[in-house]
Amino acid sequence: MSTITLVGTRLADVGQEFVYQGEASACEGCPYRNQCLNLSEGVKYRVTDVREGAQTLPCGVHDDGVSAVEVEPATVRANVSARNAYAGSNAKLEGPCPHVECPSHEFCEPAGADFGEEYRISKIVGDPPHDYCHLDRDLTLVEFDETNE
């Protein structure tokens, strides 16, 4: 189900994904805050439609202003322990990884998922993009449900 919200004009492209970070101090007193602050904090969203003919509104956070778009929760791809990883099961992230140069790093510390939280696996994607894990973890690349529940 899509939601109409306001995002920075640089994010206002179909397919663009972002993690909603919540209210910033510059939002205080803004006449458009109810249209912007209607998403769930920490959830990853995908822009599904840009409202035709919508005007760009001034914004204290986004220097180019904001535009009206439709968004839906987006899937989060993540590396989880290969043991007991199957569609429909719940999993947690394995923990932080200092190896930022690794091709799997973005999946070991994915935007839109938090360490210590449990997520339902919607799909097994397969092997992670790395050749070997520097932390000697046996990992599988999965997609979490969009609802993050």
Side-chain angles (χ1 to χ4, degrees):
M1 179 175 206
S2 64
T3 300
I4 297 173
T5 192
L6 299 174
V7 298
T9 56
R10 290 186 187 104
L11 292 174
D13 288 317
V14 173
Q16 183 73 17
E17 294 183 347
F18 64 94
V19 176
Y20 178 66
Q21 299 297 324
E23 184 174 1
S25 59
C27 298
E28 192 172 323
C30 176
Y32 311 114
R33 66 190 315 260
N34 289 338
Q35 290 86 8
C36 284
L37 304 176
N38 61 345
L39 302 177
S40 297
E41 197 169 328
V43 173
K44 187 175 183 180
Y45 291 92
R46 178 182 310 102
V47 176
T48 58
D49 190 37
V50 177
R51 300 300 266 202
E52 196 75 28
Q55 65 185 40
T56 299
L57 302 170
C59 177
V61 175
H62 299 278
D63 60 351
D64 283 352
V66 292
S67 298
V69 297
E70 288 185 34
V71 298
E72 292 180 349
T75 59
V76 173
R77 283 193 171 193
N79 285 332
V80 298
S81 173
R83 184 181 6 190
N84 298 323
Y86 57 90
S89 69
N90 292 331
K92 292 182 179 184
L93 299 174
E94 287 298 293
C97 176
H99 301 282
V100 295
E101 74 287 347
C102 176
S104 276
H105 190 266
E106 69 179 292
F107 302 113
C108 290
E109 296 189 15
D114 295 317
F115 296 114
E117 294 293 318
E118 202 166 78
Y119 299 93
R120 186 176 178 90
I121 298 173
S122 63
K123 175 181 167 184
I124 301 296
V125 177
D127 291 331
H130 62 263
D131 291 327
Y132 64 94
C133 177
H134 295 284
L135 299 177
D136 202 30
R137 295 173 174 166
D138 183 18
L139 302 170
T140 297
L141 184 61
V142 302
E143 280 187 4
F144 292 142
D145 280 348
E146 290 99 348
T147 57
N148 289 343
E149 293 175 356

